[in-house]
Amino acid sequence: MCRLLKGRSFPGKILITRRTDPLDLSSLHSPNSGPRSLESDIHHRKQVDKSTEDEVENRSSTKASSSVNDTKSSTTGSENTSKEVHRSTVGARATDSARLMKFTKELSGSSVFLEKLRELAWSGVPPHLRPTIWRLLLGYAPSNSDRREGVLRRKRLEYLDCVAQYYDIPDSERTDEEINMLRQIAVDCPRTVPDVSFFQQEEVQKSLERILYIWAIRHPASGYVQGINDLATPFLVVFLSEYLEGSVDTWSMANLSSEQVSNVEADCYWCLTKLLDGMQDHYTFAQPGIQRLVFKLKELVRRIDEPVSRHMEEQGLEFLQFSFRWFNCLLIREIPFRLVTRLWDTYLAEGDALPDFLVYIFASFLLTWSDKLQKLEFQEMVMFLQHVPTQNWSDVELEMVLSQAYMWHTMFNNSPSHFLAG
């Protein structure tokens, strides 16, 4: 018997089955049978991708689980053939011409319908439209096109005033607390995204420093917290892409005028502010918001993959030991930076629902290595989870994590007994 679960409409329809005969999974975004089969499916996709490099469409065989209600059951059933698009660029679906037309249509009106834009953005945004769409999704730019230019000009001038008032002043005019905060930010900026050479440029670090210091000064309830420096980086790269072309590694801030740098910083500041407004208690004293989500993650993993949950508990591994950083930095340190903006398309499309949906994304991310984790002892698990092997990931693996997260949200969030319900 099949039933269609109506949850988020963003990634498409999710088919849940209880029957034992093989299913045609061609309508699914990612044909996952559960976390236990994720690694093998990823490996299979990569092998197909390598052997058919010159083809855009390939037919690949994927195994379907006989029941999604038992994600741990082994699958020996028949293989189903499904069409999949394999491309080497990040967010291949986002550059599909049909999707591009939909985005263009949504942006062309006098007012943008944000729910429709969220639905489109969930599956990835075309890179050249990302600055405009991120501003809209975060509510920084108004949906009314007639007001947009004026609002952005005013907000950018407001940021400039803040820089003059709070940053461009001698230390003698700062409190001891402000001096210490600025010093901490200055120490953290060179450590931000250390594997991307662009972020080692002095001008880039100064921009980050200004953005973070102004944010901290204007948000005294939390002040600056390590990890917020990571959260500014996707915005910086996206808004710089309006002025700089080519690979991020070839960019130089020296090629920009002072006005362009100021505009980029302002957009980063306001978008970072909008993002953090939705998760304020993640960065206040003791970070209670993150601790709450870590607990929810532990409970969700227990429901989805009891063997992994039991093994981690038997080994004495606390979720706080590895997932605190995931929530604190929104997974930026765990995946290649080239994939971060695609991941953030989904984050920003979630809007106010993002904090709780992070639990599902991180559960999907963790259980990518379900089999591996069950073979590791405490110290090995700690080391593994602090350095997860994602360096060779492409958009394929990321899309699978997001699709699995979406499916689990659809299944569990609608359950009256689930810990996230109510």
Side-chain angles (χ1 to χ4, degrees), residues 348-367:
L348 302 188
E350 281 290 319
D352 294 339
L354 175 60
D356 279 337
F357 193 63
L358 289 173
V359 175
Y360 292 90
I361 294 177
F362 296 175
S364 178
F365 183 72
L366 173 68
L367 294 177

Side-chain angles (χ1 to χ4, degrees), residues 118 253 316 321 373:
R118 290 189 190 283
M253 293 277 279
Q321 291 174 283
L373 291 171

Side-chain angles (χ1 to χ4, degrees), residues 82-122:
S82 64
K83 277 191 175 182
E84 295 190 19
V85 176
H86 294 285
R87 297 178 183 175
S88 59
T89 54
V90 174
R93 285 183 304 169
T95 56
D96 179 87
S97 58
R99 280 176 50 75
L100 183 57
M101 287 178 63
K102 290 179 181 178
F103 275 108
T104 304
K105 181 181 177 183
E106 284 304 313
L107 295 174
S108 63
S110 59
S111 188
V112 174
F113 183 44
L114 286 178
E115 282 309 304
K116 180 62 178 177
L117 192 63
R118 290 189 190 283
E119 182 179 333
L120 286 170
W122 204 100

